[in-house]
């Protein structure tokens, strides 16, 4: 009997090779890049298949959808439980759910949600690693702190730094870096400046707030992860390249 590798496993190997190649070409160690498999719309069985193929970091973009799947997956995995990343917009009333279910939050996109997450984290005695989601491209449809003109517009930059300072002061959260979603385009080279500017912003934050390492840059998805890795991504969030196309998302 011929046992064929699962498509997820094949896809995963290809993605890992592409990440490694992009890292090496940029003079980076591929081990610096964490692959977060974005499992939104896929059921626990598929996530377990991905676990079996070796994945240990999973991302969801809707707090409730993940909250339903996470306990099922955690209970079924044969080894250490995976790390769960919240990568999508969080409504204020979902902050407690996020604190209960997720290990890392990439999508802190406003001071108010940071304050809510902080409150619930303190209540349950956790310190949650978080990233500040930045709207680097200025697209009106995107969440995130407005930083599209941070280099040339001192007022915008200072407004962001002030909110950043307020978030850094919150208990129960540990700010580890920045996250962004690049504009949709079929030419990945066009998004390179977006990633480069997020990295430059990170460097500016490092100067302003040197108490923190600002080590994480979460950037790069199926269509643009190689460019993101070349520009310094430490976390790439990949769905379709591993799991195939998603069914119609509501
Ligand atoms: C869906 C999603 C991803 C993954 O997108 P793909 O194009 O499927 O790789 C990454 N980040 C966020 C915030 C997402 O919502």
């Amino acid at each position: 009997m011929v046992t064929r590798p699962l498509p997820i496993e094949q896809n995963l190997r290809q993605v890992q090779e592409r990440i490694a190649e992009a890292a090496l070409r940029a003079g980076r160690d591929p081990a610096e890049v964490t692959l977060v498999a974005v499992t939104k719309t896929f059921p626990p069985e598929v996530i377990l298949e991905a676990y079996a193929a070796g994945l240990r970091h999973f991302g969801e973009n809707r707090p409730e959808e993940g909250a339903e799947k996470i306990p099922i997956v955690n209970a079924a995995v044969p080894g250490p439980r995976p790390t769960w990343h919240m990568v999508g917009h969080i409504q204020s009333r979902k902050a407690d759910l996020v604190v209960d279910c997720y290990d890392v939050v990439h999508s802190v996109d406003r001071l108010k949600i940071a304050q809510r997450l902080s409150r619930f984290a303190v209540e349950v005695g956790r310190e949650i690693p978080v990233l500040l989601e930045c709207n680097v491209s200025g697209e009106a449809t995107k969440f995130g702190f407005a930083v599209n003109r941070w280099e040339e517009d001192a007022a915008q930059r200072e407004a962001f730094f002030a909110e950043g300072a307020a978030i850094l002061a919150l208990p129960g959260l540990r700010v580890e870096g920045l996250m962004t979603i690049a504009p949709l385009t079929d030419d990945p080279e066009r998004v390179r400046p977006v990633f480069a500017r997020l990295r430059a912003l990170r460097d500016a934050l490092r100067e302003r707030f040197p108490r923190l390492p600002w080590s994480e840059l979460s950037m790069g998805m199926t269509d643009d992860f190689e460019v993101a890795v070349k520009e310094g991504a430490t976390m790439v969030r990949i769905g379709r390249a591993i799991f195939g196309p998603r069914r119609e998302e509501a």
Side-chain angles (χ1 to χ4, degrees), residues 8-248:
I8 285 180
E9 192 170 336
Q10 284 178 326
N11 291 344
L12 174 60
R13 298 297 162 246
Q14 282 178 9
V15 165
Q16 285 169 328
E17 273 170 35
R18 288 168 62 192
I19 290 171
E21 203 173 300
L24 292 172
R25 262 190 280 145
R28 303 183 59 204
D29 178 355
E32 289 171 16
V33 184
T34 299
L35 171 53
V36 178
V38 178
T39 49
K40 64 189 184 205
T41 77
F42 292 103
E45 304 83 76
V46 172
I47 304 175
L48 287 167
E49 229 176 284
Y51 183 96
L55 282 165
R56 293 294 179 271
H57 292 266
F58 296 117
E60 288 283 336
N61 76 329
R62 291 175 187 218
E64 320 85 311
E65 185 190 331
E68 283 173 20
K69 297 188 281 186
I70 288 169
I72 300 173
V73 173
N74 284 351
V77 290
R81 86 181 205 41
T83 299
W84 293 95
H85 299 250
M86 170 40 55
V87 301
H89 180 67
I90 307 165
Q91 292 170 286
S92 287
R93 61 195 164 82
K94 300 287 161 55
D96 57 339
L97 190 66
V98 169
V99 168
D100 285 342
C101 300
Y102 295 85
D103 302 298
V104 185
V105 178
H106 293 227
S107 43
V108 169
D109 55 10
R110 60 204 189 282
L111 177 57
K112 187 180 171 203
I113 198 65
Q115 289 164 333
R116 301 271 297 176
L117 292 168
S118 163
R119 199 179 100 202
F120 291 116
V122 168
E123 263 176 38
V124 298
R126 284 187 63 198
E127 188 180 56
I128 304 177
V130 302
L131 309 178
L132 307 182
E133 179 172 353
C134 292
N135 183 344
V136 181
S137 59
E139 287 172 291
T141 53
K142 284 212 165 27
F143 291 109
F145 293 96
V147 292
N148 56 310
R149 299 183 314 276
W150 75 268
E151 279 162 306
E152 60 275 24
D153 180 344
Q156 187 187 67
R157 182 171 64 244
E158 290 309 317
F160 173 59
F161 283 179
E163 287 191 297
I167 295 172
L168 295 189
L170 293 171
L173 303 183
R174 187 170 72 245
V175 178
E176 299 203 321
L178 305 179
M179 179 271 225
T180 200
I181 302 175
L184 215 64
T185 155
D186 41 20
D187 177 8
E189 285 303 321
R190 281 186 44 205
V191 300
R192 186 186 288 275
V194 170
F195 297 142
R197 286 173 60 224
L198 189 75
R199 187 185 53 188
L201 178 58
R202 189 273 308 271
D203 295 344
L205 285 160
R206 246 183 203 159
E207 268 189 33
R208 180 68 71 100
F209 304 102
R211 201 165 48 75
L212 296 181
W214 298 97
S215 49
E216 303 294 344
L217 284 175
S218 170
M219 55 190 198
M221 306 174 23
T222 288
D223 294 324
D224 54 26
F225 68 87
E226 285 153 306
V227 175
V229 167
K230 287 183 200 157
E231 292 300 328
T234 63
M235 294 179 176
V236 289
R237 311 177 309 268
I238 299 180
R240 289 168 298 133
I242 298 170
F243 300 106
R246 288 180 287 271
R247 288 215 211 104
E248 217 32 50

